[in-house]
Amino acid sequence: MTRKYNISYLLTLLALWCVMPMSAQVTAVATLDSTQIQIGRQVALTLSVTTPCGSKVEMPVFDDREQVTPGVEVVGTATEDSVKEGDDIRHNIKYVLTSFDEGKYEIPSMTMLVNGKEYKTKSIPLVVNTVDVDTAHIEKFFPAKDVQDMPHDRNWLLIIALSIVVLLLAALTYYSYRKTKENKPLRLIKKRTRRLTPHEKAMEGISLLSTDKSIEQKEYFSRLTEILRVYLEERFGIKAMEMTSGEILSQLILKTGMDGSMELQSLFSTADMVKFAKYQTGDDTEQSLLSTVVQFVEKTKQTQPQPATMAEPEPLEPTQKRNIGWMVVCGLSLIAAIALLVYVVILIID
């Protein structure tokens, strides 16, 4: 009986010996990096628990501005990590605490769960000191100063250089403006003018022809028939410049139905003989045929005036082209001078 009792006792001791090391492997610790702080300063609270590998650990959780004890609050979670130590693991979490009231506080015991079992840390004292104020020498304290203007180091070399450039551009602007004024005959704007009618063109050509006393007879009849052909083409749409005399007369009768073929036939026949057969006519014949053309034009002229059109500008002369160049230089230099002047003023004001 005694022997059986001893065996049972030994087995109980062995079981306790096996269980005790397992329980001793879990340790919970809370530490502060300083036990004294000034009011408003911060201090780190580190919670550590060492457990066997694979253990389930639950650490205390605090929100920002939550008080761990009245007067001491959490302002943030700094770090959370795990460190392997042999067969165990140490779990760490660090909270940042602060206090705005002077006094002595006690950080209470923290509870940690390891595999559902609670492990508590020891409480820690914390002293919050106020700032010493020398009330005996109040003259050392000054009110808050007004907003001060910071000295600004201006780049005066850059400002002077840009000012010189502005002056040069202003001089170039004035010089180019004077050059444009020297070349006054500049006509780039189209004028609205009335286009001459076929009748007016023909009468103008006839007037010039009749006043030209130095012209030879052959050229006289060539110009007279050309005036008539151009008139027929513009007035009736007959391609008279490309037709023979007979074709012109046939087309004229076909388009207008008017009978003026005998007078015009006499003109074309006389003109052909003068140009190709060296036929000579008298002054009376020239005036008679000229009158025939004038009467035909007056008889067939349009009564409705031509609409106004834009006259083409005359080709620019070399002086006018140079004038345009100076105008461009004047405009560009003026714009550049104004832009740089504004920039210099901004640099000085800032």
Side-chain angles (χ1 to χ4, degrees):
M1 181 70 181
T2 304
R3 185 177 180 182
K4 290 182 178 180
Y5 175 78
N6 291 334
I7 293 174
S8 299
Y9 179 73
L10 291 173
L11 290 175
T12 302
L13 290 177
L14 180 62
L16 291 173
W17 181 78
C18 293
V19 172
M20 287 177 61
M22 294 295 295
S23 301
Q25 288 179 356
V26 178
T27 57
V29 180
T31 59
L32 290 172
D33 58 1
S34 177
T35 57
Q36 293 190 24
I37 62 171
Q38 284 188 333
I39 188 170
R41 294 296 181 91
Q42 297 178 351
V43 64
L45 170 64
T46 303
L47 304 179
S48 301
V49 58
T50 304
T51 66
C53 294
S55 299
K56 183 180 179 181
V57 179
E58 295 182 28
M59 305 286 280
V61 177
F62 296 98
D63 297 328
D64 289 349
R65 300 303 175 186
E66 182 179 352
Q67 292 188 345
V68 296
T69 190
V72 180
E73 63 183 43
V74 177
V75 294
T77 302
T79 57
E80 183 176 359
D81 59 15
S82 299
V83 180
K84 187 173 178 58
E85 297 179 344
D87 295 333
D88 299 331
I89 295 180
R90 187 176 78 249
H91 304 272
N92 303 310
I93 186 169
K94 184 180 291 186
Y95 290 100
V96 180
L97 310 179
T98 190
S99 177
F100 298 98
D101 295 316
E102 180 187 6
K104 295 181 180 181
Y105 300 93
E106 185 176 293
I107 306 301
S109 175
M110 302 290 173
T111 301
M112 308 176 198
L113 295 178
V114 179
N115 295 327
K117 186 177 180 180
E118 293 184 353
Y119 293 88
K120 293 183 178 295
T121 65
K122 294 181 179 181
S123 60
I124 309 172
L126 176 64
V127 179
V128 179
N129 299 314
T130 187
V131 178
D132 294 333
V133 178
D134 187 6
T135 56
H137 301 84
I138 195 170
E139 70 277 359
K140 294 183 179 180
F141 298 93
F142 302 96
K145 293 185 178 180
D146 294 334
V147 178
Q148 301 294 318
D149 292 332
M150 295 299 294
H152 180 71
D153 295 333
R154 293 183 176 87
N155 192 346
W156 289 107
L157 182 61
L158 176 61
I159 294 175
I160 293 173
L162 292 178
S163 301
I164 294 174
V165 174
V166 170
L167 293 176
L168 293 176
L169 288 174
L172 178 60
T173 303
Y174 177 75
Y175 178 75
S176 22
Y177 174 76
R178 291 297 301 271
K179 295 296 290 185
T180 56
K181 296 295 288 184
E182 291 176 2
N183 298 327
K184 291 185 178 179
L186 181 64
R187 299 290 182 268
L188 295 179
I189 302 177
K190 297 180 180 180
K191 295 189 299 183
R192 184 172 293 276
T193 58
R194 189 177 65 82
R195 186 170 54 186
L196 295 177
T197 63
H199 156 260
E200 291 171 336
K201 288 183 180 180
M203 295 306 296
E204 183 178 346
I206 292 171
S207 176
L208 293 175
L209 181 63
S210 61
T211 57
D212 192 354
K213 302 300 183 180
S214 62
I215 191 172
E216 295 182 357
Q217 193 175 72
K218 181 178 179 180
E219 183 179 355
Y220 176 86
F221 280 101
S222 296
R223 288 174 57 180
L224 183 60
T225 55
E226 181 179 356
I227 291 171
L228 181 59
R229 288 174 183 269
V230 171
Y231 174 77
L232 293 174
E233 187 167 331
E234 293 182 355
R235 175 65 180 85
F236 300 105
I238 300 173
K239 302 297 182 181
M241 302 299 292
E242 305 171 1
M243 294 181 179
T244 62
S245 302
E247 291 172 343
I248 292 173
L249 296 174
S250 299
Q251 286 293 319
L252 181 61
I253 295 173
L254 181 63
K255 286 182 176 291
T256 63
M258 58 190 307
D259 188 11
S261 58
M262 293 303 295
E263 293 83 356
L264 296 183
Q265 178 65 46
S266 175
L267 169 63
F268 285 123
S269 298
T270 304
D272 289 340
M273 287 189 295
V274 171
K275 289 189 293 183
F276 302 111
K278 297 182 180 182
Y279 178 73
Q280 295 292 325
T281 63
D283 294 338
D284 295 339
T285 303
E286 291 181 1
Q287 292 299 322
S288 174
L289 295 177
L290 182 64
S291 299
T292 299
V293 175
V294 171
Q295 293 174 5
F296 177 78
V297 170
E298 290 291 342
K299 183 179 179 181
T300 58
K301 68 180 180 180
Q302 286 178 312
T303 57
Q304 185 177 0
Q306 291 288 93
T309 58
M310 295 295 292
E312 292 295 328
E314 298 179 358
L316 295 178
E317 298 179 358
T319 56
Q320 294 174 323
K321 293 180 180 179
R322 288 196 300 271
N323 201 358
I324 294 176
W326 282 116
M327 289 177 63
V328 172
V329 172
C330 178
L332 293 178
S333 57
L334 179 61
I335 294 173
I338 294 174
L340 280 177
L341 181 60
V342 172
Y343 182 66
V344 169
V345 172
I346 292 174
L347 287 178
I348 297 175
I349 293 176
D350 288 346

